[in-house]
Amino acid sequence: MTAVHETQGGAVLSPTRRRIALMALALGGFGIGSAEFVSMGLLPQIAQGLLPEMMAADPEQGVARAGWAITAYALGVVVGAPLLSLLAVRLSRTRLIVVFAGLLCVSTLASGLMPSFELTLLARFIAGLPHGAYLGVASLLAASLMGPGSQGKGAAVALSGLTVANLVGVPMLTALGQAAGWRAAFLTIAAVFALTAVLVATTIPSQPAPQGRRIQDELRAFSRVQLWVVMLIAAVGFAGSFAVFSYIADIGQQVAGMSAGFIPVLLALAGLGMTIGNAIGGFTTDRSLDRTLLVAFPLYIAAMVLMVSVVTDPVGLSIAFFLTNMGHATLGPAMQTWLMRIAGPSEMLGASLHHAAFNVANALGALLGGMVISAGLGLAAPTVVGLVVASLGFTMLLGSFALLRLRSRRFRRELDTAQVPVQSPEAASAR
């Protein structure tokens, strides 16, 4: 007898149908991760193709200017994640995922076809708009397909496409871009999004549009101070790794002495670290969100310390880059689940806001890394900036936990004085 699985939406799926549906959701994440991170691996080629005069006069300035393409995409995510989530609050999630995949396809195609640097920046900004909303909806659909109590694993499934993209897609696309031009990489990714749109339309079980939800209801989540604090922690903490990742092609070649042909291997190592870290984070977050954060963050910072000390050694840099990305990815499901829990009924908004914060980190990291390079401090300087910023994020996390504990104790004392029973620690901390 064939086993079946009932989703939270009431649809009954066979295990095979459920696996295909989850793979379809992850494929969109694969495209998103490929589009976002291949820009970093191909930054010298993008700079040479769109800013030839600047590259001829001052290559470091040209690479720093090309980094604006990374920042433009990240800003698109920051704007689009909450905006599209709010506008789509009354729409079916299954319909939304198809629309977002289609938007990603068209905008990525435009990114590979624009003739000038300015138009490419605009295309990258537009391409970033559906990024967070897609991954937010994908996380919720994945959790629904996997059953109750799977917020962390649902987030990990959606993020798994990003991590596998860095393991397989980004290295292959970087090699393709080096051989056939950076535009070929973006055109290939556009085809991935086209396939995603077809697969999610045909494999994800239909879900009805939410009833009774209004934009005003979703906006209430923004009144919660803790939501902004968690977003700030994610934005600052993750910016540390992006300060390095944004310029890793030049750091690897010009500081560590790697060949251009080894850069795809270096990116694959980062992807392997992300894949392992994401799987660990999804598993541990559903068991203890706090412990995941308190263990993974110090390990992430320790890897950044190692990177600073071995940046001139190709083997050492490769190992440190792998460990940094593993630590970074372990934190991803935990941070997204934290935001979803704080957002409460506005869970789609909470899920998408994680990706907004993640891309604030992307933009901030690229900006800070470009600033120290432009200031003449050298291509190794972003590793030091990354360590400082990541450490600041962890300090903010510890401060937030300390304040939450003080608030929880005060709340319990007030309840004891009033002789009111406490329902649960979660209820107290969510106030």
Side-chain angles (χ1 to χ4, degrees), residues 226-242 293 297 300 328 331-339 350-365 389-390 392-397 400:
Q226 191 180 0
L227 186 81
W228 293 100
V229 171
V230 175
M231 288 182 64
L232 186 60
I233 292 170
V236 173
F238 289 158
S241 61
F242 279 119
L293 291 170
F297 231 125
Y300 165 51
H328 178 154
L331 291 168
M335 296 301 296
Q336 177 162 320
T337 300
W338 195 5
L339 281 167
S352 66
L353 286 176
H354 166 74
H355 301 288
F358 188 84
N359 278 272
V360 169
N362 191 343
L364 181 61
V389 174
L392 178 59
F394 183 52
T395 302
M396 293 165 60
L397 174 73
S400 174

Side-chain angles (χ1 to χ4, degrees), residues 37-428:
F37 289 97
V38 79
S39 300
M40 302 171 188
L42 291 175
L43 201 59
Q45 287 75 21
I46 294 172
Q48 191 63 55
L50 295 175
L51 300 166
E53 294 180 1
M54 183 174 289
M55 287 293 288
D58 189 339
E60 288 194 1
Q61 289 288 347
V63 169
R65 177 68 61 84
W68 290 8
I70 299 171
T71 302
Y73 181 88
L75 292 176
V77 181
V78 174
V79 173
L83 180 61
L84 293 182
S85 295
L86 289 172
L87 292 177
V89 66
R90 292 186 176 183
L91 300 179
S92 165
R93 290 172 182 169
T94 45
R95 182 174 299 176
L96 284 174
I97 205 74
V98 177
V99 171
F100 292 151
L103 290 173
L104 286 162
C105 175
V106 173
S107 56
T108 304
L109 182 64
S111 298
L113 295 176
M114 291 296 104
S116 69
F117 181 65
E118 292 75 17
L119 288 175
T120 301
L121 287 183
L122 177 61
R124 295 311 295 147
F125 173 81
I126 294 172
L129 293 175
H131 171 129
Y134 176 93
L135 291 174
V137 175
S139 296
L140 297 175
L141 286 172
S144 175
L145 290 167
M146 298 175 76
S150 300
Q151 276 187 327
K153 289 188 285 291
V157 166
L159 293 173
S160 67
L162 292 174
T163 62
V164 174
N166 281 277
L167 175 61
V168 179
V170 173
M172 292 180 63
L173 289 164
T174 300
L176 173 65
Q178 290 175 342
W182 65 271
R183 296 181 187 276
F186 282 98
L187 297 179
T188 302
I189 296 166
V192 171
F193 285 131
L195 178 60
T196 298
V198 172
L199 288 177
V200 294
T202 55
T203 63
I204 307 297
S206 178
Q207 290 189 5
Q211 299 298 314
R213 295 300 298 172
R214 302 174 302 167
I215 291 179
Q216 299 94 305
D217 299 324
E218 302 295 306
L219 287 172
R220 290 196 185 99
F222 287 111
S223 66
R224 298 172 184 170
V225 175
Q226 191 180 0
L227 186 81
W228 293 100
V229 171
V230 175
M231 288 182 64
L232 186 60
I233 292 170
V236 173
F238 289 158
S241 61
F242 279 119
V244 178
F245 210 134
S246 299
Y247 303 96
I248 191 60
D250 288 278
I251 293 172
Q253 292 178 70
Q254 299 187 41
V255 178
M258 297 175 178
S259 67
F262 190 76
I263 298 304
V265 178
L266 184 63
L267 295 174
L269 287 173
L272 179 62
M274 290 182 186
T275 302
I276 295 171
N278 181 64
I280 293 171
F283 179 81
T284 59
T285 295
D286 285 334
R287 282 153 179 76
S288 175
L289 187 151
D290 289 6
R291 289 176 187 170
T292 300
L293 291 170
L294 290 173
V295 172
F297 231 125
L299 293 176
Y300 165 51
I301 293 170
M304 295 290 292
V305 172
L306 177 63
M307 185 179 296
V308 171
S309 63
V310 299
V311 67
T312 59
D313 178 63
V315 175
L317 177 62
S318 299
I319 295 172
F321 197 52
F322 164 81
L323 293 174
T324 297
N325 283 282
M326 185 172 73
H328 178 154
T330 303
L331 291 168
M335 296 301 296
Q336 177 162 320
T337 300
W338 195 5
L339 281 167
M340 290 168 66
R341 291 179 183 177
I342 295 169
S346 307
E347 57 180 357
M348 189 169 88
L349 179 64
S352 66
L353 286 176
H354 166 74
H355 301 288
F358 188 84
N359 278 272
V360 169
N362 191 343
L364 181 61
L367 177 64
L368 292 175
M371 286 175 62
V372 294
I373 293 171
S374 296
L377 297 178
L379 285 166
T383 62
V384 178
V385 171
L387 172 59
V388 172
V389 174
S391 300
L392 178 59
F394 183 52
T395 302
M396 293 165 60
L397 174 73
L398 294 177
S400 174
F401 275 13
L403 290 173
L404 285 173
R405 287 193 179 91
L406 287 174
R407 186 178 180 183
S408 178
R409 289 174 185 171
R410 187 181 303 115
F411 180 61
R412 286 175 177 273
R413 284 198 300 269
E414 291 173 356
L415 291 178
D416 290 341
T417 301
Q419 297 183 345
V420 177
V422 178
Q423 294 180 354
S424 69
E426 290 79 7

